[in-house]
């Protein structure tokens, strides 16, 4: 009862205020998860005024019904946008971005949830106090739906990171940011994301943050504030080892081209670390074994062609 009263009091105050933070919840056919995502946002305390924007991408299950039940409880806090046809993940995200009133934007994807009630507070304080950085992210836990077990996200890498985070680290360490749900973005940063990003359905959060990091360093908060669910419908989690290697190569060749080979050395380091050195641990021949002088870009193209033939 105390929690409901507190929320209602906050909503009364917000009627006359422009929210400082916009929280986006993007969802598609996530009736199993969406309530947990919304509840985790509602539990945020000690932070500036925020609004919740839910983008329902034409779900065919009860996702929209559940969202509407929450909007009825919190009409001054929650706004829902639901479409007549699928926009896709990035189309949904782009539309929701256009509706944000806050100067800061936090995202919680519909199958994820936050576990720290001070997530928004921590991120807002860090980001508002830094005039250069365009986004910050927290550490996360992975939850494997099939087993119900939790695991920290790449701790061997996260333990090496300082507070400032560079584009070189994002590439060479294979995208430590994790996912959208652990991030807060300055709204002004959206101006650095080209329209083409939203038009390629294969693009993901990794590229989004490369665009921001190409402009300024990000901020890493070591606290674990959110949970990323690994399930059979995940884009990457269902791939075999070969498919995963091929996907990474194709993605990075594409990203390298977008940035006109500006970060080619970092992409090479990522490939060699992930696929070359790791394969040596079990006595296999390294995937990367270049024995002739070709340009770095041609080496990558060569390896991609060789992998496709395996």
């Amino acid at each position: 009862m105390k929690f409901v009263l507190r929320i209602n009091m906050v909503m009364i105050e917000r009627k006359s205020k422009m929210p400082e933070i916009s929280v986006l919840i993007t969802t598609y056919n996530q009736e199993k998860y969406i309530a947990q995502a919304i509840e985790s946002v509602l539990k945020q305390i000690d932070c500036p005024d925020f609004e919740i924007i839910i983008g329902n991408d034409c779900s065919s299950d009860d996702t929209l019904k559940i969202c509407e039940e929450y909007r009825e409880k919190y009409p001054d806090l929650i706004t829902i946008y639901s479409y007549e046809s699928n926009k896709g993940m990035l189309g949904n995200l782009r539309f929701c971005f256009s509706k944000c009133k806050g100067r800061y934007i936090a995202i919680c994807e519909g199958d994820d949830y936050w576990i720290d009630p001070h997530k928004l507070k921590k991120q807002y304080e860090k980001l508002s106090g830094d005039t250069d950085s365009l986004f910050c992210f927290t550490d996360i836990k992975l939850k494997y739906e099939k087993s119900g077990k939790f695991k920290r996200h790449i701790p061997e890498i996260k333990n090496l990171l300082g507070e400032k985070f560079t584009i070189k680290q994002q590439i060479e360490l294979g995208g430590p940011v994790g996912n959208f749900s652990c991030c807060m973005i300055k709204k002004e940063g959206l101006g650095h994301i080209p329209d083409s990003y939203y038009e390629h359905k294969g693009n993901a959060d990794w590229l989004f943050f490369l665009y921001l990091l190409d402009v300024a360093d990000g901020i890493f908060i070591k606290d674990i504030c959110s949970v990323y669910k690994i399930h059979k419908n995940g884009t990457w989690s269902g791939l075999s080892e070969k498919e995963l290697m091929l996907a990474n190569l194709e993605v990075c060749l594409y990203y390298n081209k977008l940035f006109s080979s500006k970060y080619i050395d970092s992409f090479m380091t990522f490939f060699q670390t992930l696929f070359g050195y790791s394969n040596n641990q079990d006595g296999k021949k390294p995937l990367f074994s270049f024995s002739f002088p070709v340009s770095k870009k041609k080496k990558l193209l060569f390896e991609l062609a060789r992998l496709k033939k395996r």
Side-chain angles (χ1 to χ4, degrees), residues 50-88:
F50 65 88
E51 64 175 345
I52 300 175
I53 295 174
I54 300 176
N56 172 52
D57 195 16
C58 198
S59 297
S60 58
D61 60 5
D62 283 337
T63 297
L64 179 58
K65 178 182 176 181
I66 296 168
C67 292
E68 288 177 336
E69 289 172 354
Y70 278 96
R71 180 175 58 183
E72 289 177 6
K73 292 180 182 178
Y74 311 110
D76 296 305
L77 183 62
I78 296 175
T79 303
I80 300 174
Y81 294 98
S82 191
Y83 323 119
E84 294 182 358
S85 59
N86 285 106
K87 287 182 175 291

Side-chain angles (χ1 to χ4, degrees), residues 182-200:
C182 66
C183 298
M184 179 180 282
I185 307 155
K186 287 181 181 177
K187 189 176 182 179
E188 65 193 75
L190 297 179
H192 298 288
I193 309 299
D195 290 340
S196 58
Y197 168 79
Y198 302 100
E199 295 164 3
H200 190 301

Side-chain angles (χ1 to χ4, degrees), residues 86-236:
N86 285 106
K87 287 182 175 291
M89 181 188 77
L90 296 180
N92 188 12
L93 190 66
R94 184 184 197 179
F95 181 85
C96 289
F97 278 151
S98 73
K99 299 301 179 181
C100 290
K101 299 175 184 175
R103 293 194 300 150
Y104 300 85
I105 301 171
I107 303 169
C108 185
E109 295 179 289
D111 55 349
D112 298 330
Y113 62 99
W114 298 343
I115 55 175
D116 187 337
H118 293 102
K119 176 185 181 292
L120 291 182
K121 169 185 168 64
K122 292 175 180 179
Q123 292 188 301
Y124 176 78
E125 288 179 347
K126 286 289 186 183
L127 203 52
S128 62
D130 190 309
T131 57
D132 297 321
S133 296
L134 295 174
F135 83 100
C136 68
F137 68 105
T138 71
D139 204 349
I140 64 176
K141 284 198 299 187
L142 309 178
K143 181 180 181 180
Y144 293 85
E145 184 179 16
K146 188 173 182 179
S147 66
K149 293 183 178 180
F150 291 87
K151 179 182 178 183
R152 189 181 162 203
H153 180 238
I154 52 174
E156 66 281 357
I157 290 175
K158 294 284 184 68
N159 290 339
L160 300 175
L161 300 181
E163 183 172 295
K164 282 293 187 175
F165 181 72
T166 68
I167 191 168
K168 183 177 179 180
Q169 290 173 312
Q170 175 70 349
I171 297 172
E172 294 182 5
L173 301 178
V177 173
N179 70 343
F180 279 122
S181 297
C182 66
C183 298
M184 179 180 282
I185 307 155
K186 287 181 181 177
K187 189 176 182 179
E188 65 193 75
L190 297 179
H192 298 288
I193 309 299
D195 290 340
S196 58
Y197 168 79
Y198 302 100
E199 295 164 3
H200 190 301
K201 66 179 182 179
N203 287 342
D205 44 34
W206 194 14
L207 178 57
F208 184 93
F209 295 110
L210 285 180
Y211 281 124
L212 296 185
L213 289 166
D214 187 46
V215 179
D217 292 347
I219 301 171
F220 175 49
I221 298 174
K222 290 184 177 292
D223 299 341
I224 298 175
C225 296
S226 66
V227 173
Y228 173 45
K229 291 178 181 171
I230 307 294
H231 49 80
K232 62 182 179 181
N233 295 324
T235 305
W236 293 83

